[in-house]
Structure formats: structure tokens, C-alpha cells
Amino acid sequence: MSKTTLFQKIHSELDKLNDRIDTKIIKGLQYEKEARRHRELLATLQYLREDVVSPVQKPRRRSHIGKSPVRQSLNRGVMARLFTWKFAF
């Protein structure tokens, strides 16, 4: 079973479990077994996510939607900056 299908199965199981817990809370019944199973599934998801994302990778920053003119000129490189500077005389 691939990790994506495992993620999907666990999420669907969590949805069903949440519904079952909600109905038991509304009826005023005990839901200890369901809560324990819920914690186990969440721990499994956390373990799988840690396995997928290595601790060496840095989180990526979101790119700016509107870049400043200075940032745009810096992105073009040294040669472009040297030949496009306008000096006031």
C-alpha cells in the first residue's frame, strides 16, 4: 500500500471516528475506546509525516506577489545592473 492511499484511509477512518464520537457526546455516552483509537491514528499520521519530510529540508518561504523594483533589478544579475544604471547629471 502506498503512503498516499494510507493517508487517505487514515483520514477517512478519522472522519468516521469523529462522527461516532460526536454522536456519543450528544447522547451522553462514554467514548473512551473511540478517543484512544483517534489518538493512535493521529500518532500514526504524525509518524508517517515525519518519515516523509526529512529534518534536513528547510521550510520554503512564500514568494512575494509584488516584488519591489530593487529586488527585480537584483534578480537580473550584475551585468544587467551595470548597464542599466542611470546617473543624474
Side-chain angles (χ1 to χ4, degrees):
M1 180 181 296
S2 70
K3 286 187 181 181
T4 54
T5 56
L6 187 59
F7 277 123
Q8 291 172 348
K9 295 262 187 202
I10 290 175
H11 279 292
S12 66
E13 180 69 25
L14 279 171
D15 289 338
K16 291 175 189 175
L17 213 60
N18 283 334
D19 291 339
R20 216 174 310 143
I21 289 172
D22 289 343
T23 55
K24 285 195 173 194
I25 288 174
I26 291 171
K27 291 180 181 180
L29 301 174
Q30 295 291 323
Y31 56 94
E32 292 173 1
K33 291 179 185 177
E34 289 83 4
R36 186 177 304 116
R37 178 72 177 146
H38 191 273
R39 282 193 300 271
E40 290 171 357
L41 288 173
L42 286 178
T44 305
L45 271 180
Q46 183 66 30
Y47 176 75
L48 289 173
R49 283 187 185 135
E50 287 174 356
D51 188 30
V52 170
V53 178
S54 70
V56 177
Q57 294 176 346
K58 291 182 181 179
R60 294 182 60 180
R61 294 178 64 188
R62 291 179 45 190
S63 64
H64 298 284
I65 294 172
K67 292 185 178 178
S68 69
V70 174
R71 184 177 290 262
Q72 288 175 352
S73 71
L74 289 175
N75 284 343
R76 281 189 268 151
V78 175
M79 295 305 285
R81 284 195 306 273
L82 285 175
F83 294 110
T84 57
W85 281 353
K86 298 178 178 101
F87 297 101
F89 290 103

